[in-house]
């Protein structure tokens, strides 16, 4: 079996250009009171050694390879030739523009998670879903639909492919259609075509990015090489045959995209843990190595405990999210030790890794993923796990780790800012983010997704390619939000609607100081390699 | 059946022998693989076998490995069970699992004709791959509890098995019916062949 570790892939270039990786001489100058002027690599949560992920400009990294040179301007907004970096919009101006577009549909949005497939595609319920996703082959054959069955949608998908082809016949590319409150977004990734139909207020770019996640999810199961090979061989192949049994992975990924801030921020969150404990866990993992091992990842639910990697090999956050999704939406790893081929598309779309996936204890949330290049290496990795567990159990660290599992999150009240309800803070250089548990008003699924929708909106404004913002303050009836991006971090805050802008700005400093104080616990500051 | 006890081995495949010492028992290590198309109940059979439980499972990803110790009166079996995914995309890796297996269970769903046809393909594939004669091969018709939806009769399964010289059993992982009998049926020839 060939070893697919490659060293010449795109992700490496990002490291080399020197703008993103922490600069050596700056690492020790971790200022006590971080300000937005911080240099990358010194913000709270930045790793002390080399960064753990390939973290190209996060968002841009994901969209770059498919972005057209001209970005269609959203309707109703005109560019007045501002400089690229524009400072905060003020309170009043932002206020109404947002409120009126909030679509008030979803009267009876059902949530039973697994039944969506049998739905009648002609029904009103089917039409009223906030976000549809379709995947089809270039021959127009249905591959995946989020709701309803693919068979029932074959003519609809045929029309979608026709739209793509008609525009392409004129040597053009269809990006999106905006009509009647809907956005239809197209992503052409030969040999697949992905289409998103959304009633949310997400931008085209965000929707395209979500489609990319779906695309990579499919690639992770088959590799791009195999995918290309199949369709070169037989243009009208029914790919559902190969994806059978994995639809729930895509379903679950779509749910994560609606709810998990990590996918929005292109970052991963950690289990809060005393740094001494985390270091001990990491070093135990580091000691349990094997020749073919590339990454060892310990998860607690959907949070990262630690990650140890081979020197010079980086794991892209997107690949990590795909692994999270795989573990989170499968039950088979609970019963025994899992052993599966998996392609990590941001690492290499051509080949499979082989992942050993198992829970440390049957009822525990701690899941260990060992990623290897050798498909015959199961027993070796099984032994690595055993050694890791043995080493860990000998130390008190295992007890403290289990203890920490009992409170995998923290309350926002710990920060001590009364009006602050929730926040997302991402350290750009480490690719990690932290966020407190959702407070009372946002605990229902509807409210959780609504808040995520607001964050998504702010995110798309900050990262608008033609007119990116450095900060934005948005007043609403139910909450006030502030988002702020610097070269070192991205911050989204949610305040009670009674707060003021001045207070929000003051809160930023207080929060940053708090995160700096707590960074040992909230982030992985010293990532390890074998 | 009463003498048979089940134990779960928690420390992994290379752990030392059984925890309950019995007088002069033989220990036999056996690799067992479950094959068959998607959704026929391979994981459920494995779960019934190892924990005597039943619960709805999601499709297996890749392959699941576990060990199980079975003590009979004079023999202790250490089973290394490879529960493979039935999905077509994983077929390229399944030879890894049935290579060197002492027992191979080819499972079909009695309520799905297609899975019976797939089972025959699995048998052909096994025959092609130097499976030694000592390998205990069993054809298993699962989901016996769905007898009212039966598309593959007991007779059909039986004659296929006779044809190919296989053991045959109809089971239900859901109700647990015939599962322990199935395991006993495997144990005997394994014991004999070693």
């Amino acid at each position: 079996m060939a070893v697919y570790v490659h060293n010449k892939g795109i992700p490496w270039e990002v490291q080399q250009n020197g703008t993103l990786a922490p600069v050596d001489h700056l690492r020790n100058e971790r200022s006590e009171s971080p300000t937005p002027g911080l240099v990358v690599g010194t913000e709270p949560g930045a790793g002390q050694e080399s960064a753990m992920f390939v973290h190209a400009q996060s968002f841009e990294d994901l969209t770059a390879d498919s972005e057209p040179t001209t970005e269609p301007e959203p309707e109703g907004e005109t560019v007045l030739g501002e400089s690229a970096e524009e400072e905060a919009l003020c309170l009043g101006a932002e206020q109404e523009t947002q409120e009126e577009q909030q679509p008030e549909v979803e009267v009876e949005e059902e949530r039973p998670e697994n039944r969506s497939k049998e739905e009648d595609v002609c029904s009103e319920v089917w039409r009223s879903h906030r976000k549809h996703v379709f995947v089809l082959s270039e021959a127009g054959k249905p591959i995946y639909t989020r709701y309803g069955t693919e068979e029932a949608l074959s003519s609809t998908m045929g029309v979608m492919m026709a739209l793509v082809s008609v525009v392409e016949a004129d040597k053009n590319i269809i990006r999106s259609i905006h009509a009647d409150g809907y956005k239809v977004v197209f992503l052409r990734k030969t040999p697949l075509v992905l289409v998103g139909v959304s009633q949310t207020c997400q931008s085209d770019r965000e929707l395209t990015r979500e489609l990319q996640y779906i695309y990579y999810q499919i690639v992770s199961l088959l590799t791009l090489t195999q995918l290309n090979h199949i369709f070169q061989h037989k243009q009208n192949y029914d790919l559902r045959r190969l994806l059978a049994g994995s639809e729930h992975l895509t379903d679950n990924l779509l749910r994560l995209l609606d709810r998990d801030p990590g996918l929005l921020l292109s970052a991963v969150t950690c289990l809060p843990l005393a740094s001494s404990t985390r270091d001990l866990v990491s070093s135990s993992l580091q000691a349990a190595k094997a020749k073919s091992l590339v990454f060892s990842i310990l998860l607690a639910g959907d949070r990262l405990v630690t990650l140890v990697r081979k020197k010079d090999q980086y794991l892209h956050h997107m690949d990590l999210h795909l692994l999270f999704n795989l573990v989170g939406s499968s039950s088979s790893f609970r019963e025994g030790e899992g052993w599966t081929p998996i392609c990590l598309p941001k690492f290499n779309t051509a080949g499979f890794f082989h992942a050993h996936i198992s829970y440390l204890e049957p009822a525990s949330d701690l899941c260990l993923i060992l990623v290897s290049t050798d498909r015959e290496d199961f027993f070796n990795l099984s032994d690595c796990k055993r050694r890791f567990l043995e080493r860990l159990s000998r130390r008190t660290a295992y007890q403290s780790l289990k203890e920490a599992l009992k409170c995998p999150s923290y309350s926002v009240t710990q920060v001590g800012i009364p009006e602050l309800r929730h926040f997302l803070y991402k350290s750009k250089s480490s690719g990690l983010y932290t966020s407190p548990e959702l407070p009372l008003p946002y605990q229902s699924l509807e409210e959780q997704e609504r808040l995520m929708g607001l964050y998504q909106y702010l995110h798309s404004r900050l990262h608008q390619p033609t007119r990116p913002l450095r900060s934005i303050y948005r007043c609403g009836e139910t909450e006030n939000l502030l988002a702020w991006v610097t070269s070192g971090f991205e911050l989204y805050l949610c305040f009670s609607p009674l707060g003021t802008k001045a207070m929000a700005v003051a809160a930023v400093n207080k929060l940053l100081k708090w995160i700096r104080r707590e960074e040992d616990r909230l982030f992985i500051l010293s990532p390890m390699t074998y | 059946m009463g003498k048979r006890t089940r134990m779960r081995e928690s420390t992994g495949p290379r752990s030392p022998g059984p925890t309950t010492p019995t007088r002069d028992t033989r220990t036999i290590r056996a690799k067992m693989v479950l094959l068959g198309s998607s959704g026929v109940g391979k994981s459920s059979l494995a779960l019934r076998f190892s924990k005597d439980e039943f619960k709805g499972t999601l499709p297996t990803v890749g392959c699941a490995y576990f060990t199980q110790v079975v003590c009979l009166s004079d023999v202790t079996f250490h089973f290394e069970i490879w529960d493979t995914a039935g999905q077509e995309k994983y077929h390229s890796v399944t030879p890894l699992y049935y290579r060197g297996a002492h027992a191979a269970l080819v499972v079909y769903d009695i309520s799905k004709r297609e899975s019976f046809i797939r089972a025959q393909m699995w048998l052909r594939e096994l025959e092609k791959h130097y499976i030694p004669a000592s390998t205990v091969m069993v054809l298993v018709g699962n989901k016996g509890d769905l007898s009212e939806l039966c598309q593959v009769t007991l007779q059909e399964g039986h004659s296929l098995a006779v044809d190919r010289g296989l053991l045959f059993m109809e089971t239900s992982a859901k109700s647990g019916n015939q599962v322990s009998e199935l395991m006993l049926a495997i144990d005997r020839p394994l014991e004999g062949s070693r």
Side-chain angles (χ1 to χ4, degrees):
Chain A
M1 190 67 203
V3 173
Y4 288 118
V5 177
H6 72 145
N7 285 315
K8 44 186 186 296
I10 314 101
W12 276 244
E13 288 162 20
V14 184
Q15 292 292 313
Q16 284 153 9
N17 69 19
T19 52
L20 292 165
V23 187
D24 267 315
H25 66 275
L26 286 168
R27 260 182 231 137
N28 299 325
E29 302 162 17
R30 301 169 75 83
S31 65
E32 266 314 304
S33 159
T35 58
L38 279 179
V39 184
V40 192
T42 61
E43 77 277 7
Q48 273 153 353
E49 279 145 53
S50 50
M52 196 160 25
F53 307 105
V54 171
H55 46 83
Q57 301 273 22
S58 59
F59 182 68
E60 288 72 13
D61 168 46
L62 289 175
T63 37
D65 48 1
S66 72
E67 273 311 297
T69 37
T70 52
E71 176 75 15
E73 236 350 92
E75 296 147 58
E77 275 192 44
T78 40
V79 187
L80 300 169
E82 295 96 328
S83 62
E85 297 235 324
E86 170 155 332
E87 198 52 59
L89 293 177
C90 66
L91 197 150
E94 192 51 34
Q95 212 161 348
E96 321 81 43
T97 48
Q98 244 289 329
E99 288 309 308
E100 14 131 355
Q101 327 176 325
Q102 219 61 269
E104 289 296 327
V105 236
E106 337 153 32
V107 194
E108 27 107 53
E109 232 209 311
E110 299 158 58
R111 296 285 177 175
E113 313 261 321
N114 289 321
R115 46 103 284 254
S116 48
K117 287 292 174 193
E118 296 97 50
E119 229 169 70
D120 178 8
V121 298
C122 302
S123 67
E124 211 35 56
V125 180
W126 186 82
R127 283 167 194 279
S128 63
H129 286 299
R130 288 169 69 219
K131 206 185 286 170
H132 282 275
V133 171
F134 308 97
V135 183
L136 45 145
S137 73
E138 284 175 333
K141 260 215 160 117
I143 293 170
Y144 171 82
T145 173
R146 184 178 189 182
Y147 304 106
T149 62
E150 288 85 11
E151 289 85 356
L153 288 164
S154 53
S155 57
T156 312
M157 297 216 196
V159 173
M160 290 174 184
M161 194 58 223
L163 284 171
V164 172
S165 310
V166 164
V167 177
E168 272 177 18
D170 292 339
K171 303 225 167 357
N172 222 324
I173 298 171
I174 189 165
R175 292 280 161 200
S176 64
I177 301 171
H178 295 207
D180 196 20
Y182 287 89
K183 287 194 183 97
V184 185
V185 181
F186 296 84
L187 175 66
R188 177 77 186 265
K189 284 278 199 183
T190 307
L192 305 181
V193 177
L194 296 97
V195 182
V197 179
S198 163
Q199 302 184 52
T200 64
C201 44
Q202 280 175 289
S203 67
D204 289 5
R205 247 170 98 92
E206 299 277 353
L207 292 167
T208 309
R209 197 179 68 110
E210 299 193 355
L211 292 180
Q212 294 209 0
Y213 260 104
I214 303 305
Y215 167 73
Y216 284 121
Q217 166 60 45
I218 293 172
V219 171
S220 81
L221 293 167
L222 301 172
T223 72
L224 185 56
T225 312
Q226 194 186 347
L227 209 53
N228 282 329
H229 181 80
I230 290 166
F231 283 106
Q232 273 159 17
H233 232 65
K234 198 173 167 210
Q235 234 190 341
N236 63 349
Y237 184 83
D238 186 358
L239 196 66
R240 283 180 306 157
R241 256 180 72 183
L242 281 182
L243 295 177
S246 305
E247 299 87 351
H248 68 286
L249 294 179
T250 312
D251 294 345
N252 197 56
L253 183 61
L254 282 164
R255 277 197 291 276
L256 286 182
L257 282 164
D258 286 340
R259 290 171 207 167
D260 187 337
L263 282 83
L264 173 69
L265 295 175
S266 305
V268 178
T269 190
C270 307
L271 177 79
L273 192 63
S275 62
S276 55
T277 308
R278 197 186 312 270
D279 288 349
L280 268 170
V281 176
S282 304
S283 62
S284 305
L285 206 52
Q286 187 187 34
K289 63 181 170 191
K291 212 169 144 204
S292 69
L293 206 51
V294 189
F295 302 109
S296 308
I297 304 153
L298 187 64
L299 301 184
D302 56 356
R303 288 160 182 273
L304 187 65
V305 178
T306 185
L307 187 157
V308 184
R309 58 182 174 80
K310 211 181 187 106
K311 216 166 180 245
D312 301 327
Q313 308 295 350
Y314 295 87
L315 186 59
H316 196 278
H317 54 77
M318 194 165 190
D319 291 339
L320 195 52
H321 281 300
L322 292 177
L323 282 171
F324 273 56
N325 184 47
L326 179 75
V327 170
S329 46
S330 312
S331 58
S332 56
F333 311 122
R334 285 254 171 224
E335 310 305 338
E337 294 169 61
W339 181 239
T340 181
I342 182 165
C343 169
L344 299 177
K346 280 287 173 181
F347 193 96
N348 181 359
T349 53
F352 279 121
F353 281 107
H354 297 270
H356 180 281
I357 304 173
S358 60
Y359 284 86
L360 293 192
E361 285 172 40
S364 155
D365 261 347
L366 291 167
C367 180
L368 180 65
I369 308 174
L370 300 170
V371 181
S372 154
T373 51
D374 184 353
R375 70 176 191 177
E376 309 252 359
D377 226 14
F378 174 84
F379 284 107
N380 232 336
L381 296 191
S382 185
D383 196 49
C384 284
K385 180 208 171 182
R386 191 189 50 77
R387 280 174 12 230
F388 165 66
L389 202 54
E390 239 174 53
R391 198 179 242 282
L392 193 63
S393 319
R394 278 205 304 269
R395 307 175 186 225
T396 51
Y398 195 30
Q399 265 322 312
S400 351
L401 177 58
K402 285 189 195 163
E403 215 44 53
L405 278 179
K406 289 179 190 153
C407 44
S409 193
Y410 53 93
S411 156
V412 71
T413 53
Q414 289 187 19
V415 184
I417 303 171
E419 296 81 4
L420 184 64
R421 286 181 175 176
H422 190 250
F423 68 87
L424 308 172
Y425 169 89
K426 174 192 170 186
S427 148
K428 280 187 175 177
S429 65
S430 65
L432 299 170
Y433 81 95
T434 187
S435 171
E437 62 198 5
L438 287 164
L440 204 54
Y442 303 103
Q443 274 171 358
S444 76
L445 217 45
E446 278 79 19
E447 280 299 294
Q448 186 189 344
E449 285 186 9
R450 191 179 65 82
L451 180 62
M452 262 302 285
L454 292 169
Y455 285 143
Q456 278 167 347
Y457 168 75
L458 295 176
H459 183 270
S460 69
R461 293 299 303 265
L462 290 180
H463 294 277
Q464 230 263 358
T466 47
R467 216 177 60 171
L469 303 175
R470 216 178 280 146
S471 66
I472 180 168
Y473 184 73
R474 180 190 172 281
C475 264
E477 264 174 33
T478 42
E479 60 275 292
N480 296 343
L481 295 138
L482 172 66
W484 198 326
V485 59
T486 71
S487 58
F489 63 81
E490 252 178 84
L491 184 59
Y492 301 81
L493 305 110
C494 170
F495 296 95
S496 95
L498 301 174
T500 63
K501 188 179 172 191
M503 184 215 74
V505 172
V508 169
N509 267 315
K510 196 165 175 197
L511 176 63
L512 286 175
K513 274 186 191 159
W514 182 83
I515 294 173
R516 172 66 92 205
R517 264 204 316 278
E518 300 285 325
E519 64 175 352
D520 278 0
R521 203 165 61 85
L522 301 179
F523 294 92
I524 302 175
L525 296 181
S526 39
M528 290 191 186
T529 57
Y530 302 124
Chain B
M1 276 313 295
K3 282 178 199 157
R4 193 157 168 225
T5 53
R6 291 202 161 95
M7 269 181 280
R8 269 187 47 78
E9 216 179 354
S10 55
T11 38
R14 300 277 186 247
S15 63
T19 42
T20 43
T22 24
R23 297 158 286 109
D24 54 303
T25 52
R26 267 199 310 153
T27 301
I28 292 179
R29 199 170 286 279
K31 175 173 172 180
M32 181 164 99
V33 61
L34 287 140
L35 301 166
S37 55
S38 198
V40 297
K42 296 179 293 300
S43 301
S44 298
L45 271 177
L47 190 64
R48 176 63 77 186
F49 176 45
S50 61
K51 294 186 190 165
D52 203 11
E53 281 176 12
F54 178 82
K55 54 184 174 200
T57 54
L58 289 165
T60 304
V61 176
C63 185
Y65 171 90
F66 37 98
T67 56
Q68 167 76 8
V69 181
V70 173
C71 300
L72 297 179
S73 53
D74 54 344
V75 196
T76 304
F77 283 99
H78 281 251
F79 277 111
E80 295 182 354
I81 304 169
W82 293 91
D83 170 27
T84 65
Q87 303 152 38
E88 196 177 324
K89 61 176 164 292
Y90 295 118
H91 282 190
S92 57
V93 288
T94 25
L96 285 178
Y97 310 123
Y98 60 69
R99 201 192 301 149
H102 302 106
L105 274 62
V106 178
V107 187
Y108 67 89
D109 172 352
I110 64 156
S111 68
K112 288 217 176 67
R113 184 93 216 158
E114 206 200 323
S115 69
F116 187 60
I117 296 162
R118 298 278 322 167
Q120 297 173 42
M121 287 167 63
W122 276 114
L123 290 173
R124 275 197 294 279
E125 183 170 338
L126 284 175
E127 279 161 15
K128 263 190 282 173
H129 286 82
Y130 54 86
I131 293 295
S134 63
T135 306
V136 181
M137 301 244 277
V138 193
L139 182 68
V140 183
N142 192 34
K143 306 203 186 176
D145 49 292
L146 297 178
S147 53
E148 72 278 13
L149 300 171
C150 181
Q151 292 186 3
V152 185
T153 60
L154 188 72
Q155 191 50 45
E156 273 178 284
H158 189 72
S159 48
L160 176 69
V162 170
D163 223 38
R164 308 275 174 117
L166 316 169
L167 297 172
F168 175 69
M169 196 73 93
E170 229 175 57
T171 59
S172 166
K174 192 171 183 180
S175 68
N177 189 30
Q178 294 285 83
V179 176
S180 37
E181 285 79 356
L182 169 66
M183 290 307 152
L184 268 186
I186 298 167
D187 293 350
R188 293 239 174 75
L190 274 180
E191 196 178 344
S193 68
R194 312 261 228 104

